[in-house]
Every structure is written in structure tokens, then in C-alpha cells.
Amino acid sequence: MRRQDRLAGADFLRAMACMLVLAHHLALRLDMRRIPDELASTVNILRFGNFGVAIFFVLSGFLLARPFWRALDAGDGMPSLGNYAIRRAARIAPGFWVAASVSFVLSLTLLALPLTPELALRYMSGLLFMSQWHWRTLFPVEADGPLWSIPFEVTSYVLLPVCFLLLFRLSPLRQRPFLARSVWICVIAIVLLAHMAILNLFALDDVERGWAYGLQGGAKEWMPKYNPIGFFAVFALGALAAGIEVMLPARRSSWFDATALLALAAAGYRLVTSPGGTPEAYGWLDIPYGFPVFPLAVATALVSLTHSQHVGRLLDSRPIRYIAKLSFGIYIWQEIILILIQRLDPGSFGVSTQNVVTGWLQSSGLAAALVFLVASLSYYLLERPAIDIGHRLTRRQPNRATPFKV
């Protein structure tokens, strides 16, 4: 992303999202029965690093909605959907396909799973970004659980321009920012009603339900509370935040610094108070990850950091920007690395050591280093070339004011 296009604070939140998810999966490897009592609360908080998924959804909605809001407010035509589709596909598809394929091969070799029609169906539905619609396919592959969220996000990528298409068709909304945002709030309300309908119409039985039955049992435990429409509500909150942000004056203010810090504190408080509840931290309407308090706090932080005088730029340090650059690779490759370490060294993550915390820290350090190495290779050899191709294909097209890169 060019320096003039970078939004203050966005890289920080992206980096925090991927690091939270990594901390979550590392904490899941720690035997809670063997850790000292004084460390139990800290480890429990780390297990709620899955909140990073909500940050990704809010951040994507925020960044991808900005060009639509700008065009609507200016009375212009809708941004090119061809550009939008090409850049989204270039950013997401190559890395996702390669990680899913590597994981699929590892499932058959390292995990020694039989090649069944259902395993193949899960893999193919993932490649087509359609695995999010049924609990049997929610996890496309066995050796890379975090990939479940990518097809969910792709659904949001599709629904975002569909909803904006309706707004652009309503001529009274053009150049009327407050009215347009009010209609978007109505869109969110409709999405929440649709989510409630899914909860009532698609309840699942308890046969082989739960994580004791593997990933598919876990998927059955999650659904229908985990559904693409409910997650679009989180995504749409980020889009609403973008609509508010583009209405604000361009000048920066120390008031936004204070608001950003308060919003980040609220988000952190919601995360650290989650232990004691469900591992998914179901919030209002059984939408996971502290909905709506946590995503609203993240959305508020995004708006505020963008217009802050100091905090946004301080948080977006060079190391943070580098982590943000690798964030997609960190997300899609981490579970593969962790499973490889466990399979090649069954005593890793403190399993075979008397001091379980020390053993876990050593394995976690090795895992983090390998994840960053693989993510770097993934970015420079796979993701960045695909992004560049997407940019070349859309270079001469209109509506490039705000990048679609996330």
C-alpha cells in the first residue's frame, strides 16, 4: 500500500488480529491441568485470542467500504465491481488455495486419514469458497482449521457491494451522507433479523456434536450460531465505521487520540473479561466474539486512529507494519506449522517436560519463528506477485482512490 493511502492505525489492528489468533492457537496446546494457578488467568485470556477474527472482519469492512461511501457521497457511479472482484481474488485466492492444498496433502500423509468422498467434498467446497454453508464442510481441511473463516469473509465480500448496489439505486441517498448512513443501519438490522431466522430454522441435533468428535463435531457445535450472515453483521459494522470516517473533516485532533485510546481499552476489557463464559464468547443474538461491544469498540478505534494526531502513527511502527504485511500468511499457515511440530516432536509444547510452561514457551518461540518465516516466503513468493497482477489488471480502470488491499 502506498504511504499516502495508508490509514493510521489500520496496520496496528491488522497486526494485533493475526497475533491474537496465533496466541489463541498456541494457548490451545498448553495443558491447562498442569499449569500453576498463578498463570491460569493469563493463559485463559490468551485462549480468547480468537477475538482477532472479529478484528479482521471489522477491518475488512472498513477498508473495502470506503470507496463506495466516497462515490455515493459525491453522487458518482458505483465503483467498478470488476476491479473489486479482481483485487479481492488476487489477494485471497492464491494463498488460500495453496495452504488448503498443502493441508489436504498433509491430512492424507502426515495425519494418515483415508481419502473419503466427504474429505474430498470438504476440500473442493473450500477451494470454491462455499464451505461456510454447512457444518460438514465448515472446516475445508483437517490440518488447517483457521481456514474456516476465509470463505465466511468471502461471503461478506459479495454481500457488501450487493447492499451498496441497493443504496446507489436509491437516488435520494446520493450526496445525503446522514440519510445514507441511516439506511445502512437499517441494512444491519435486516442482517441481524436474517441471522435470528437462521438460528431458529437451522438448529442442529446433538448426534456427534462437540469438539470430542473432531473438527466436524466442532463445526456442528458452532453452527448455526456461526453462519456467514451473522458474521456479515460484524463486517457491516466496519463498513458503517468507514461511512462515518469519510464524513469527518480531514484535519487531525487530539480528541481522536483520546477516543482511540478509550476504544482500544474497551476492546481489551471485553476480551480479558471473557474467561468464565463460552470459548466463543457469544454476545448479543449469539454472535461470537463479544458482539456488538467488541466489534463496535474496534470500529470506533479505527475511525479515531485515522484522525488522531499521534496515537495512530505511533502504533503503526515499522515492525507493526511488517507484521501487518504478513498477517494473511501468518493466519493461513500457523496451524500447519503447529501440527507439524506436534507430529514431529510429540513431546513439544511442554507435554514431556516437568516444567510445562517452560516447555510450552520454548516450543511456542520455535513455532512463532517458523510461522513468520513461512509467512514471509508466502508473501514475497506467492501473495505479492498475485497482488501485483491484480493491480496491473485494474491499473487503467477508474475508482482507485482507496485501495482494496487488506
Side-chain angles (χ1 to χ4, degrees), residues 65-84:
R66 293 181 82 249
F68 292 97
W69 286 121
R70 290 189 180 280
L72 185 66
D73 292 346
D76 297 333
M78 191 166 176
S80 169
L81 296 185
N83 282 8
Y84 177 84

Side-chain angles (χ1 to χ4, degrees), residues 11-12 14-19 56 317-330 372 375:
D11 281 340
F12 169 76
R14 184 186 290 113
M16 290 303 100
C18 73
M19 295 307 294
F56 277 127
S317 62
R318 182 171 295 181
I320 289 295
R321 294 201 303 270
Y322 186 72
I323 294 173
K325 181 187 297 185
L326 303 184
S327 60
F328 186 66
I330 293 172
F372 272 85

